[in-house]
């Protein structure tokens, strides 16, 4: 068994969309390599930082990423496997990249209660917490504006209960 602590830079950008680990970002890897009967068992703890934009208010954010995984690299044998030991070496780059990308949020936010942007002005609502959102009536519903939910209101066009 061997344990290794490595810090390497991401060789390319990992992820796409609103948040990603950019090329050149340090990736800290704590690895445990164990020889077992079938091959080499790799246990890894990965730490890095992803940068991008908040999905609600579009400000720049950075988020720490911590991932753990365990994978068995088989010795060359009769079965075809993507994860094999080649010349007493294992290639972890694709596993680490895949684990980090899968742990990235689909819609990252700067904070859990981020109110987002004002749909009219495009300003961040978090910058103006006292501002009340304006209520706009959809013009398609304007024909119903004359009707009231209050049954005691006098609406001469509406049929009475007796007429129904």
């Amino acid at each position: 068994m061997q344990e290794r602590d490595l810090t390497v830079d991401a060789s390319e950008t990992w992820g796409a969309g609103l948040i990603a680990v950019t090329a050149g970002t340090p990736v800290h890897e704590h690895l445990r390599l164990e020889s077992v009967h079938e091959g080499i068992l790799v246990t890894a703890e990965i730490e890095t930082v992803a940068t991008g934009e908040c999905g609600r208010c579009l400000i720049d954010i950075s988020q720490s990423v911590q991932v753990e995984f365990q994978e068995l690299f088989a010795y060359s044998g009769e079965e075809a496997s993507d994860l094999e030991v080649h010349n007493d070496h294992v290639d972890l780059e694709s596993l680490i990249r895949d684990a980090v990308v899968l742990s990235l949020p689909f819609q990252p936010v700067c904070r859990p209660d981020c109110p987002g942007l004002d749909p009219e002005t495009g300003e961040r609502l978090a910058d103006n917490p006292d501002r009340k959102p304006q209520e706009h009536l959809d013009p398609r519903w304007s024909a119903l504006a004359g009707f009231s939910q209050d049954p005691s209101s006098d609406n001469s066009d509406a049929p009475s209960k007796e007429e129904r």
Side-chain angles (χ1 to χ4, degrees):
M1 189 220 18
Q2 292 184 3
E3 289 193 13
R4 304 282 174 138
D5 281 318
L6 304 170
T7 301
V8 296
D9 293 337
S11 59
E12 60 187 9
T13 299
W14 296 346
L18 294 176
I19 195 164
V21 176
T22 57
T25 302
V27 179
H28 178 73
E29 306 167 0
H30 176 74
L31 306 171
R32 182 177 178 155
L33 307 158
E34 298 177 74
S35 177
V36 294
H37 181 59
E38 297 85 12
I40 296 176
L41 181 66
V42 177
T43 305
E45 297 173 9
I46 310 300
E47 296 177 13
T48 189
V49 176
T51 56
E53 293 179 333
C54 174
R56 294 182 188 158
C57 66
L58 305 177
I59 63 168
D60 292 336
I61 59 172
S62 66
Q63 202 174 69
S64 67
V65 178
Q66 297 177 345
V67 179
E68 296 179 5
F69 68 86
Q70 189 172 48
E71 196 65 50
L72 177 65
F73 285 80
Y75 291 122
S76 297
E78 299 164 3
E79 296 180 20
S81 173
D82 293 337
L83 303 176
E84 289 186 350
V85 178
H86 297 286
N87 298 328
D88 293 332
H89 291 87
V90 293
D91 183 13
L92 296 174
E93 183 177 6
S94 63
L95 280 176
I96 292 172
R97 180 192 63 234
D98 292 348
V100 168
V101 169
L102 289 173
S103 72
L104 295 175
F106 183 67
Q107 289 290 329
V109 291
C110 56
R111 61 179 205 227
D113 62 340
C114 177
L117 299 175
D118 185 312
E120 295 292 320
T121 64
E123 296 175 353
R124 289 187 66 232
L125 293 174
D127 293 341
N128 300 318
D130 298 334
R131 181 175 176 187
K132 302 289 183 198
Q134 297 177 1
E135 201 172 305
H136 295 281
L137 182 63
D138 189 333
R140 296 173 291 183
W141 294 98
S142 62
L144 300 175
F147 292 106
S148 173
Q149 291 181 351
D150 184 14
S152 64
S153 68
D154 186 21
N155 193 348
S156 59
D157 295 339
S160 67
K161 289 182 181 180
E162 296 171 5
E163 293 176 15
R164 286 188 221 163

